[in-house]
Amino acid sequence: MVVIAPTPLRAGPEEEAAILATLAVGEIFEALDFAHGKAWGVAGGRPGYVPRDALATKEAR
């Protein structure tokens, strides 16, 4: 999947979870699971959670 809006990569699914990085538009996010509006996966070797609506399939770009 690809990031379509700048978004924080968080340590947990909660909005209060620590921000590990900020993902830029166009960055690749390998989504491994989806639940409750969040995606869990890996970006640049860093695992974490992002909002599902900040992602799109590569084909949808």
Side-chain angles (χ1 to χ4, degrees):
M1 301 197 84
V2 65
V3 176
I4 58 171
T7 191
L9 178 71
R10 295 187 179 272
E14 306 83 15
E15 290 298 317
E16 309 81 38
I19 296 174
L20 305 173
T22 299
L23 303 183
V25 172
E27 195 164 345
I28 300 300
F29 183 81
E30 183 182 350
L32 303 172
D33 194 19
F34 299 96
H36 308 290
K38 305 288 184 197
W40 174 75
V42 180
R46 302 164 298 201
Y49 293 83
V50 299
R52 172 64 184 96
D53 60 3
L55 303 172
T57 62
K58 292 179 189 178
E59 295 79 26
R61 287 195 327 170

